[in-house]
Amino acid sequence: MQTTLRGVGVSHGVAIGEVRHMGTAVLEPPAKQIPAEEAEREQGRARQAVEAVAADLIARGNLAGGEAQHVLEAQAMMAQDPELMADVDRRIAVGSTAERGVYDAFASYRALLAGAGEYLAGRVADLDDVRNRIVARLLGVPMPGVPDSDEPYVLIARDLAPADTALLDPALVLGFVTEEGGPTSHSAILARALGVPAVVALPGAGELAEGTVVAVDGSTGEIFIEPSAEKRAEMEASAAARKAALSASTGPGATSDGHKVPLLANVGGPGDVPAAVEAGAEGVGLFRTEFLFLDDSKRAPSEEKQVAAYRAVLEAFPEGRVVVRVLDAGADKPLDFLTPADEPNPALGVRGLRSLLDHPDVLSTQLTALSKAAEGLPVHLEVMAPMVADRADAKAFADACRAAGLQAKFGAMVEIPSAALRARSVLKEVEFLSLGTNDLAQYTFAADRQVGAVSRLQDPWQPALLDLVAFSAEAARAEGKSCGVCGEAASDPLLACVLTGLGVTSLSMGAASIPYVRATLAKHTLAQCERAASAARAADSAEEARVAAQAVLSGE
């Protein structure tokens, strides 16, 4: 008998296949004491294992490229964290083996973060993966991971570490389902980049028996266990129809009655550009520049290095629009030379623009590099600041842009509710807004974007979040300026129609989502999108909002 489960759909598409489970975690090493004279040797073993794991993560990142490279480089930095290594050394000095010292030090850090409720608690899966890799190397055992299989399968896991997700083979892994995670977790973002159907935050997924046939709908979040022949046929027909619609949809983004909605790509570096160009992106709506700064957490990259990297992206979109976000450091992206090491809650501390204003030389160098990178190119360069809270923040950033001689539009990201509520005030200082819906949801609902237990509150369909989008778009329209969305909300085709109806003027997303959004927008008029937006805002929950919008757009 067919059973239906529901998680959170985070990557479009349908997958039907047998269940295969992720390898089990590394076993806890024994707690045996070593003689004092062996401590130095064990400390050396631990350091060698850490360096080897960090090097492996960087190599995997180089192989994967794009967004995955950025994520894995951040994980390598986690492996080499000096405070963690100091704790490992202390534990070994009082008698622990290298593997036990690593295991206990990571466990202590993990418990501290989870207990304090800090933003970095959202990286627990990443932290566990780093620990497992180091301990496995020290024990001389294989690292648990993606199962070996000659036949395609649906992967089931408690959570997927970035190192596993980044190198999944879409020819074998038809789709994946995780018990934890959320719509903006690393696993979800990388799944979309790979084009692999995925469902996260499904409690009990690990209880599915090996070999069970499941059908995964990455759009709705539904999992059908032992689907009937009729259900399989229905899902396969739906997937085929969707593929045909994607192939038929080309050109700029627009509603069926010709209302233009530029569809832009989110990129994490030059490695993401080919996929964006192939998907028909009309430009870049979010160029994350952190990848340049993660190579060395001790110092900022030179102006010359920045110029070369920025120009590589700008050249790919001649006469297109490229929106660059200046360095967003802090919280889950700490940099030794920029961010405080002892903040009790980094997510609510000195991050984003706040860090840059405390280090004006870093901001000035980046703005100057962007200016030089754009020289002689017909590209429409726009530069925006992350974590803008109010008009004073917006003015400080605009003043820095002018001081650097930047010939570009400068704008503000709306990630803090205060910026949405006072958007007209912010727009007195800048020329455009860009909504980062991932962080905006996190701060609106006090719900960490990486914690599966609060994924309900991270759902971009939450009416309160839609209200904030509407406030921002209305303010931009009143000021005669633009307001785009560059958060993951834009990658949901149905929600893209609602955002358009709310007055958003452009949508930016992972390249793999652009064809889906283009095809869906092309089926509806602007008036339909506006009615769907009104229906969604009138709802009392994310699910009700989704259903209400779907009813309007389907003509029910």
Side-chain angles (χ1 to χ4, degrees), residues 18-23 145-147 153-157 160 164 168 172-178:
E18 292 187 359
V19 162
R20 295 286 182 274
H21 285 270
M22 196 76 172
V146 178
Y153 58 90
V154 174
L155 181 62
I156 307 292
L160 283 172
D164 295 315
L168 288 178
L172 281 177
V173 182
L174 302 172
F176 67 75
V177 181
T178 65

Side-chain angles (χ1 to χ4, degrees), residues 12-27:
H12 306 299
V14 169
I16 302 175
E18 292 187 359
V19 162
R20 295 286 182 274
H21 285 270
M22 196 76 172
T24 56
V26 172
L27 295 175

Side-chain angles (χ1 to χ4, degrees), residues 129-146:
D129 182 59
V130 171
R131 176 204 65 201
N132 289 350
R133 290 175 186 278
I134 297 170
V135 171
R137 184 170 288 271
L138 287 166
L139 290 173
V141 300
M143 175 62 205
V146 178

Side-chain angles (χ1 to χ4, degrees), residues 372-555:
K372 290 182 177 180
E375 286 179 2
L377 297 179
V379 68
H380 299 287
L381 175 63
E382 302 184 11
V383 182
M384 61 185 180
M387 300 301 292
V388 170
D390 56 16
R391 183 173 179 174
D393 278 352
K395 183 179 187 304
F397 179 65
D399 289 345
C401 289
R402 295 188 191 97
L406 191 64
Q407 299 298 307
K409 286 186 176 182
F410 30 87
M413 290 198 72
V414 177
E415 302 165 284
I416 302 173
S418 62
L421 295 170
R422 299 286 296 171
R424 286 198 72 168
S425 175
V426 170
L427 282 165
K428 300 295 184 184
E429 305 293 343
V430 294
E431 298 171 80
F432 68 92
L433 299 178
S434 183
L435 289 134
T437 53
N438 306 349
D439 270 324
L440 184 58
Q442 172 172 255
Y443 290 119
T444 298
F445 296 103
D448 192 306
R449 55 189 282 190
Q450 297 295 328
V451 176
V454 293
S455 62
R456 176 182 71 84
L457 297 171
Q458 267 293 327
D459 192 323
W461 281 94
Q462 284 285 356
L465 187 65
L466 298 181
D467 286 344
L468 293 176
V469 173
F471 295 158
S472 302
E474 288 164 4
R477 183 167 52 249
E479 294 294 323
K481 297 179 179 180
S482 62
C483 176
V485 167
C486 64
E488 292 301 315
S491 66
D492 179 336
L494 182 62
L495 186 51
C497 293
V498 168
L499 295 173
T500 298
L502 291 173
V504 166
T505 55
S506 66
L507 299 167
S508 189
M509 64 209 76
S513 297
I514 290 175
Y516 291 93
V517 172
R518 181 192 293 119
T520 304
L521 273 174
K523 293 191 295 186
H524 305 290
T525 66
L526 176 59
Q528 286 177 309
C529 293
E530 290 172 340
R531 289 197 296 273
S534 295
R537 287 184 69 187
D540 291 321
S541 71
E543 182 59 28
E544 288 178 9
R546 185 184 289 107
V547 170
Q550 178 68 67
V552 171
L553 293 175
S554 63

Side-chain angles (χ1 to χ4, degrees), residues 5-57:
L5 305 175
R6 184 184 288 275
V8 178
V10 296
S11 185
H12 306 299
V14 169
I16 302 175
E18 292 187 359
V19 162
R20 295 286 182 274
H21 285 270
M22 196 76 172
T24 56
V26 172
L27 295 175
E28 180 178 347
K32 67 178 183 180
Q33 289 290 108
I34 59 169
E37 59 268 21
E38 292 184 17
E40 186 174 347
R41 178 179 66 85
E42 290 294 288
Q43 288 169 340
R45 285 182 64 227
R47 282 192 291 273
Q48 288 175 359
V50 165
E51 292 305 318
V53 166
D56 178 62
L57 289 169

Side-chain angles (χ1 to χ4, degrees), residues 62-79:
N62 290 336
L63 183 62
E67 177 69 26
Q69 184 171 8
H70 161 71
V71 171
L72 292 176
E73 286 174 349
Q75 227 186 343
M77 288 176 60
M78 184 183 288

